[in-house]
Amino acid sequence: MAKTALITGASSGLGAEYARQLAARGAHLVLVARDKQALDRLAVGLRSTYGVEVEVVVADLLKPRQRERVEARVADEVRPIEILVNNAGFGLPLAFERNDVEDEVRHLQVHVEVPMRLTHAALGPMLARGHGRIVNVASVAAFIPRSTYGACKGWLVSFSRWANGRYGPRGVTVTAVCPGYTHTNFHERLGLAPGEEGVADAMWLDARDVVAESLRDVARGRAVSIPSRRYKALVTLARFAPPSLAARIGERGR
């Protein structure tokens, strides 16, 4: 029986790349996002290219009733989810003091509350079966002070480390994936055209490489995956940097 993966934020960027690479491995898919047209286009391509089953779930995860539908699908024991990829997210300007606090609350919910709820929904059935994979897409910002984005991702890394240690011995692994700057539409959604992000060319990663390397780490049961050697080195350096220097590093780029 083919495994089924549920991916949030699947309509573009890393979510869509996870869908493609998991489909190439023979996994059936449940794609979750707000953009029905984008999901439908992706689903058609995946079905025709890989011959896998693709279910589309249109949902705004910040709306309780819609999120609860996704939680129920994750917890469905009749149609089990073997791989959960918590990828949905968005960014805000770094100037916390100027951001609308309600935007900040929604930002916190989508990066912390939503993956926590979906992980909770997945754990019961996965532990009962004795196997499952949970992937929480975090960021190297978890290790470098970067306004509330880094704080949210830091929570996700800490939670994933604990959960992997707790549930890994029972067959359910939890991996926080921490990419650096990756070519997706993430920055365009912040209103930044390509080239305006303030990021050196050498620091950009390709989404295909990020997903491929992270899936290797997931298969190994690792609690944290930092795709690319350059970002592994940066994270190591950041651990020893004084707080004021680390904050200045975190201000670079958008």
Side-chain angles (χ1 to χ4, degrees):
M1 181 178 178
K3 297 177 180 179
T4 299
L6 184 145
I7 305 166
T8 67
S11 59
S12 63
L14 287 176
E17 187 59 33
Y18 273 107
R20 285 187 284 268
Q21 293 198 27
L22 288 169
R25 289 163 167 77
H28 297 318
L29 301 170
V30 181
L31 307 179
V32 181
R34 294 177 299 173
D35 189 335
K36 183 179 188 302
Q37 290 185 336
L39 286 179
D40 286 341
R41 284 195 301 270
L42 179 61
V44 168
L46 293 170
R47 292 185 190 114
S48 63
T49 301
Y50 302 107
V52 297
E53 297 176 10
V54 183
E55 178 184 345
V56 167
V57 177
V58 180
D60 183 339
L61 295 172
L62 290 177
K63 295 183 177 178
R65 288 187 180 179
Q66 296 184 37
R67 187 198 63 239
E68 287 164 8
R69 284 196 293 111
V70 180
E71 290 177 54
R73 181 64 185 88
V74 170
D76 190 339
E77 296 182 12
V78 177
R79 299 175 297 161
I81 298 299
E82 179 69 16
I83 304 167
L84 168 64
V85 181
N86 285 311
N87 171 72
F90 65 92
L92 291 173
L94 297 179
F96 170 74
E97 76 282 4
R98 294 199 296 270
N99 291 342
D100 186 296
V101 72
E102 294 305 321
D103 289 340
E104 289 283 2
V105 169
R106 287 186 285 272
H107 182 261
L108 179 69
Q109 289 173 326
V110 80
H111 288 282
V112 174
E113 181 183 355
V114 169
M116 180 182 68
R117 286 181 178 275
L118 294 184
T119 297
H120 190 271
L123 278 171
M126 286 183 177
L127 290 170
R129 294 193 303 270
H131 51 83
R133 308 281 195 189
I134 298 173
V135 181
N136 292 321
V137 178
S139 168
V140 293
F143 308 101
I144 302 169
R146 192 170 172 84
S147 192
T148 51
Y149 184 77
C152 290
K153 295 304 189 180
W155 183 92
L156 204 55
V157 169
S158 180
F159 175 67
S160 299
R161 278 178 165 155
W162 170 82
N164 195 59
R166 173 83 173 185
Y167 303 115
R170 298 172 63 183
V172 180
T173 62
V174 183
T175 303
V177 177
C178 302
Y181 292 108
T182 305
H183 285 298
T184 65
N185 64 343
F186 180 87
H187 290 87
E188 291 180 43
R189 290 163 61 191
L190 275 170
L192 297 170
E196 295 182 359
E197 307 94 343
V199 180
D201 290 344
M203 298 307 293
W204 284 104
L205 304 176
D206 185 271
R208 292 168 295 184
D209 297 334
V210 167
V211 171
E213 186 170 341
S214 72
L215 288 177
R216 287 193 291 270
D217 287 339
V218 169
R220 296 179 182 120
R222 291 182 175 171
V224 178
S225 171
I226 304 175
S228 98
R229 292 178 181 177
R230 77 196 80 160
Y231 278 104
K232 286 183 174 74
L234 181 61
V235 166
T236 299
L237 290 172
R239 287 173 178 160
F240 299 100
S244 58
L245 176 58
R248 288 199 298 274
I249 293 172
E251 291 289 332
R252 294 185 179 182
R254 289 287 301 280

